[in-house]
Amino acid sequence: MNESPSSSRNGDILIVDDQPENLQILFEMLTQNGYEVRRVIDGKQALVAASSEPPDLILLDIMMPFLNGYEVCQLLKSQPQTKDIPVFFLSALNSQEEKIKSFKIGGSDYISKPFHVKEVLARIDHQIAIANQKRQLAKQCDQLEEINQKLTRSNRELEQFASVVAHDLQQPLTSLIAFSQLLKAERGDRWDEREKTYIEGTVEASIRMQRLIRDLLTYCRCDTPDIPLQLTDCNRILEQVLRDLQPEIEAKNAAVSWDILPAAIAEPIQLGQVFQNLIGNALKYRRDDVAPQIHVAASEAGQDWIFCLSDNGIGIPETDFDRIFKIFTRLHANQQYPGTGIGLSICQKIVESYGGKIWVESEVGVGSKFYFSIPKNPEFDPDIN
Ligand code: ADP
């Protein structure tokens, strides 16, 4: 006997028993309590009914000819469309081994015959409530995943847009700077003071804009997917960065020291950018009349390398420790310390794309320590670059 299902209020239950009259009371109780009940008399019919229209719960007798309840349950659990349906075993076999076996093969409950109908009903209600919550949760997870994908997509589109705009702005800006400088050179000393202020203001503003565009472009490009990472000798990267910064180091009478650094899995140009931004900041945010002292060190912490760049500069208030890594966040006016507020967010983006983190410890008037971690990967091919 195979009764067709219709839309149910509380849930749809499939009863599988070769002697369904045994379950007549349960059947009546379930229907009275708002459940839709289908009944089949053997395992084969159960598999067909469950896969054609998966019920919310299956009450499955163990002792049946041909396919017994355990075999039916194993088959249900092996199919994607039926594997999540809760199965309650019904059996007169009341041994501990049978109960353990039924849970091992994926049963959700074991009901011994003869059973108390009210108790069984309470268990079914409970199981159906859990299943509903699970479904709700899965739906919310799917929605979250969809929102996440949309956000990732629009974020990437925005970054692509910013990258294109920044790139296209570069050319006219370069011309603007070049023409202003030509004008300045051509007129030589024949400017009056007012004209001089105007032209110098134009050049300065254009150069600031150029820096902003350059930093924006770096920011947009620094986590492009599929950038190949390689085992990178950090000493070589640091030496190159210090060579590039040498004129500023000398001009500011700075002392830079470092420990021997490890090889880390990174992209060499990006890692250089991180060192460059952090050391550049250490030189820039120095205290008046105090020569900058900068030290670069690295240590091992579990599965990570931790790099530390310390300075004796102006320091940062604790309330700003997190804020300064957000793009365009600056704690000072441009006249006091020029900048775009993008450098640390570039460092953060790069380090996080390697699975690492960046953070700061600092004391105002004493100095700052910028830390960043890079995961070690023991499976990585050790070709040092
Ligand atoms: P920028 O230097 O262009 O402003 P950053 O993103 O590199 O942008 O830094 C953000 C802010 O963090 C800076 O404006 C500055 O206020 C603060 N900061 C960064 N590095 C240091 C440092 N070594 N010492 C003190 N303040 C710092």
Side-chain angles (χ1 to χ4, degrees), residues 48-242:
V48 173
S51 51
S52 62
E53 187 152 357
D56 296 304
L57 190 138
I58 299 176
L59 293 174
L60 183 59
D61 188 28
I62 294 178
M63 302 285 278
M64 291 187 296
F66 312 117
L67 283 174
N68 68 34
Y70 295 133
E71 290 164 331
V72 175
C73 183
Q74 275 167 331
L75 287 166
L76 288 167
K77 297 292 165 190
S78 69
Q79 296 302 317
Q81 71 271 37
T82 52
K83 71 177 179 25
D84 294 325
I85 305 171
V87 173
F88 280 20
F89 284 106
L90 298 166
S91 178
L93 305 168
N94 204 6
S95 78
Q96 207 181 23
E97 290 76 44
E98 293 295 329
K99 288 182 183 170
I100 292 172
K101 184 175 175 188
S102 66
F103 284 112
K104 272 194 176 152
I105 61 167
S108 299
D109 205 344
Y110 187 100
I111 295 164
S112 309
K113 293 182 195 171
F115 45 74
H116 298 286
V117 172
K118 279 196 175 159
E119 183 191 322
V120 176
L121 192 64
R123 289 195 199 186
I124 291 174
D125 283 345
H126 179 64
Q127 185 63 47
I128 296 278
I130 293 176
N132 284 341
Q133 282 167 358
K134 266 191 184 166
R135 252 196 303 274
Q136 188 76 14
L137 207 64
K139 203 169 143 196
Q140 284 168 346
C141 280
D142 286 350
Q143 284 169 343
L144 270 179
E145 176 60 23
E146 203 179 312
I147 292 172
N148 198 16
Q149 280 178 6
K150 271 191 194 156
L151 275 177
T152 311
R153 229 180 2 254
S154 67
N155 220 7
R156 194 153 296 289
E157 278 165 11
L158 260 180
E159 285 185 2
Q160 274 167 0
F161 171 75
S163 171
V164 170
V165 171
H167 186 262
D168 290 352
L169 283 175
Q170 255 177 344
Q171 183 53 42
L173 198 58
T174 311
S175 307
L176 182 68
I177 295 170
F179 284 128
S180 307
Q181 279 166 340
L182 267 179
L183 196 63
K184 202 173 153 193
E186 245 175 49
R187 291 286 298 267
D189 291 337
R190 283 172 288 136
W191 295 100
D192 66 28
E193 271 316 302
R194 201 166 43 101
E195 287 169 328
K196 219 169 163 181
T197 321
Y198 290 167
I199 196 75
E200 276 167 4
T202 309
V203 174
E204 261 171 40
S206 312
I207 290 175
R208 229 182 15 253
M209 197 164 164
Q210 205 174 36
R211 199 179 306 135
L212 181 65
I213 287 171
R214 185 203 58 203
D215 286 356
L216 255 181
L217 267 176
T218 313
Y219 180 82
C220 293
R221 288 172 181 170
C222 69
D223 70 344
T224 317
D226 305 328
I227 288 189
L229 304 186
Q230 48 191 259
L231 198 60
T232 305
D233 180 357
C234 299
N235 300 290
R236 271 175 52 188
I237 303 291
L238 179 64
E239 280 160 20
Q240 180 59 50
V241 168
L242 292 178

